[in-house]
Amino acid sequence: MTTADIRPTVRLTAGPLATGLRIGGRVVAGRGPRLDVVNPATGGLLAIADSADRADVEEAVRVAQAAFDSGVWSRMPIHERSRILHRFADGIAARMADLYRLETANNGRPLTETKAQITRLPEWYRYNAALLLADRDAVVPMPGPYHSYTSRLPLGVVTILASFNHPMMIASKSLAPALATGNSVVLKPSEQTPLTAMLLADIAHEAGIPAGVLNVVNGLGPVVGAALTEHPLVKKVVFTGGTEPGRSIALAAARRFAKTTLELGGRSPVLVFADTPVEVAARGAAFGGFVGAGQTCIAGGRLVVHRSIHDEFLAALTTVAEGIRIGDPGDEATQLGPVISARARDRILDRIHDGVLSGARVVTGGGAATVPGLEGGFFVQPTVLAGVTNDMPVAREEIFGPVVVVIPFDGEDEAVAIANDSPYALGAAIWTRDLARAHRVASRIEAGMVWVNDHHRLDPSSPWGGLKESGIGREGGWESFHDFTQVRAVTVRTAPDDVDWYGGTATGRLN
């Protein structure tokens, strides 16, 4: 399959694939300007997408709140809600070919990578449907004649602001627990990659999720994202993206005490110790740094390598990088697709140039890549920079492209110090055959996630998120499930006599 083989899966016009907003179970035209959706592999027009304005956002949030208040989903018996989520997962599985082809065309990620990632989407809905049935309330051992217990209730309206790099996965990591716990959702996909979100909403409606419970509003971040973030009825904001936009979202949400989950920037360290076979570590580091064209917050961009194997590792990594097949993301043989836009490509190339000016050396790559037949695409060569120290901007700043830097170290303490010397703390990887060292170093790494002899692995049961400027909150596991709820304490007096504090001698306990 090539990108030319993409077939429309939502409503059509006479021209390219076109999308409307999904509000209240209906496809509606947005009142904002229509937006061109570009195929990053060709630079050509893939679709024309409606966009929302603030009035559309207001309508979507009000519809979501009305659905929540009606109880059609929020107070639905949990066994029925769980069954519908399983039907939703079944619907996603049945449309998987449409979804991964559409996503590949929309964000340029190679088909093999997209398949490997989004074929796991049903797991997220099934896992959270299971948590819904497995969750239990707690009995609180309050002294005296009282039976005290807790219960959890949904928040209300939740908004999810998804990113372009993994549109379906990023949306589903929070959509699944948000729906499972009974919330209504307004999903805003990236304006660059809105297509699969629209199809996802259609599948949800077909599965029996009531109208108004899941709404999708496409549009520009400063308009639609800001309106959702600031809306007084939105009780939680989930955002995946850059640190500075995340900071603004946190401040806006804090003004009304809304919850946030923010998965933000990263420049993840990859520590390579001398006891690891060099070829194995080089292949693993290449996967961590170049998968998704390096357009992941968790990308292993800082390779911190023991000095005794530095040169050998650099040579092995260069061989791997130069062997990566760059091409049409719709071709099963392609291993590296384009970055999302011309602007992103130019920004990445500028970062490489700045790195060279500050003393880094390009070992391989360093420029744009040309793919025959796709000359308008936004391709960047897999790039390895050496001669880098951890204080250089090319090591400290997120690049969000297929660029890794190699930094030598001499001892374990120095490796840990380099790894932790960063404003970010999303993830890290350790390559070693020493089990004791693996646990010891992992315990010292400041990061929300640490992989040993691997990278970029996730599961619905495992919490995902960062520390420091990489964000706050977690996606996945009980941590995420419960964060879409609030706790209510119920205390029942069980004594046979009545409360009469003022009728005689006051006794008992007060708070």
Side-chain angles (χ1 to χ4, degrees):
M1 187 204 64
T2 68
T3 50
D5 296 322
I6 301 299
R7 294 292 182 263
T9 55
V10 289
R11 71 176 175 86
L12 295 173
T13 64
L17 177 66
T19 70
L21 313 180
R22 269 54 172 180
I23 299 177
R26 298 181 300 116
V27 179
V28 301
R31 283 170 276 200
R34 303 198 84 191
L35 304 175
D36 290 347
V37 179
V38 174
N39 182 335
T42 66
L45 184 65
L46 175 65
I48 300 170
D50 282 27
S51 73
D53 64 6
R54 283 185 172 264
D56 292 317
V57 170
E58 182 67 27
E59 180 183 355
V61 174
R62 294 287 177 184
V63 165
Q65 184 67 55
F68 180 80
D69 292 340
S70 74
V72 65
W73 183 253
S74 58
R75 294 193 295 277
M76 178 183 285
I78 62 172
H79 289 79
E80 178 61 20
R81 199 191 304 154
S82 178
R83 281 192 291 270
I84 291 175
L85 286 173
H86 279 289
R87 288 204 297 269
F88 187 21
D90 291 341
I92 292 171
R95 300 294 298 275
M96 190 58 68
D98 288 337
L99 288 166
Y100 68 66
R101 287 189 174 95
L102 195 59
E103 186 142 305
T104 290
N106 201 170
N107 80 342
R109 192 169 189 186
L111 189 65
T112 51
E113 287 186 15
T114 302
K115 278 185 180 180
Q117 184 181 75
I118 72 171
T119 51
R120 299 197 61 197
L121 288 181
E123 296 177 35
W124 289 82
Y125 297 94
R126 299 191 198 286
Y127 173 77
N128 282 278
L131 289 189
L132 177 61
L133 301 183
D135 204 11
R136 293 181 177 181
D137 296 329
V139 175
V140 179
M142 180 180 288
Y146 300 102
H147 175 64
S148 184
Y149 61 93
T150 63
S151 62
R152 289 186 176 270
L153 57 157
L155 300 173
V157 178
V158 170
T159 189
I160 299 171
L161 310 177
S163 182
F164 71 83
N165 51 342
H166 313 301
M168 288 278 285
M169 178 58 77
I170 286 174
S172 292
K173 284 195 296 183
S174 291
L175 180 59
L179 291 176
T181 48
N183 298 280
S184 293
V185 178
V186 180
L187 169 62
K188 181 210 164 308
S190 166
E191 60 270 21
Q192 296 172 299
T193 54
L195 303 183
T196 48
M198 304 301 179
L199 181 53
L200 188 67
D202 296 344
I203 296 170
H205 186 67
E206 293 165 3
I209 293 177
V213 172
L214 173 57
N215 308 275
V216 179
V217 289
N218 182 47
L220 301 173
V223 178
V224 177
L228 286 167
T229 299
E230 297 164 1
H231 201 288
L233 291 179
V234 171
K235 298 302 191 296
K236 179 172 179 175
V237 181
V238 181
F239 172 72
T240 300
T243 295
E244 289 312 311
R247 200 185 312 277
S248 298
I249 288 168
L251 289 170
R255 291 189 184 100
R256 63 178 191 282
F257 305 108
K259 287 188 172 186
T260 57
T261 295
L262 307 172
E263 201 247 68
L264 308 177
R267 194 71 171 131
S268 297
V270 177
L271 277 59
V272 181
F273 288 91
D275 56 48
T276 303
V278 169
E279 295 288 340
V280 172
R283 289 194 297 271
F287 166 72
F290 300 137
V291 68
Q295 297 175 116
T296 67
C297 296
I298 203 66
R302 290 188 296 145
L303 310 184
V304 186
V305 181
H306 194 273
R307 195 177 301 275
S308 66
I309 60 169
H310 175 274
D311 293 350
E312 185 183 359
F313 174 87
L314 192 60
L317 178 64
T318 299
T319 298
V320 175
E322 291 176 347
I324 293 174
R325 294 187 295 274
I326 308 171
D328 184 345
D331 186 337
E332 297 265 6
T334 294
Q335 296 175 317
L336 189 79
V339 296
I340 191 63
S341 66
R343 180 181 178 184
R345 178 198 59 203
D346 295 344
R347 175 184 48 77
I348 294 163
L349 297 179
D350 285 345
R351 291 290 182 88
I352 295 170
H353 178 69
D354 291 345
V356 171
L357 291 180
S358 64
R361 172 173 56 91
V362 176
V363 180
T364 188
T370 301
V371 176
L374 298 173
E375 286 79 8
F378 314 128
F379 296 90
V380 176
Q381 296 171 333
T383 299
V384 178
L385 300 179
V388 176
T389 57
N390 200 52
D391 58 348
M392 292 181 181
V394 75
R396 302 191 69 78
E397 297 174 0
E398 186 174 45
I399 294 179
F400 225 67
V403 181
V404 300
V405 302
V406 182
I407 304 170
F409 74 89
D410 290 304
E412 186 176 299
D413 289 344
E414 184 185 9
V416 171
I418 292 171
N420 290 341
D421 181 18
S422 171
Y424 301 115
L426 185 57
I430 302 166
W431 289 85
T432 181
R433 288 294 192 262
D434 185 330
L435 182 61
R437 172 183 282 140
H439 287 290
R440 184 172 64 247
V441 174
S443 71
R444 299 176 64 191
I445 296 293
E446 296 173 356
M449 299 161 288
V450 179
W451 295 278
V452 176
N453 298 328
D454 211 332
H455 202 102
H456 206 157
R457 304 299 179 177
L458 78 162
D459 188 82
S461 62
S462 181
W464 177 284
L467 312 175
K468 299 196 286 193
E469 294 201 359
S470 289
I472 188 171
R474 294 295 181 268
E475 298 169 295
W478 283 108
E479 292 82 356
S480 175
F481 184 86
H482 282 152
D483 204 47
F484 285 95
T485 69
Q486 49 194 340
V487 177
R488 172 174 52 204
V490 179
T491 300
V492 179
R493 180 180 170 86
T494 59
D497 58 310
D498 296 328
V499 174
D500 188 10
W501 185 267
Y502 297 107
T505 302
T507 60
R509 297 162 55 94
L510 290 176
N511 61 354

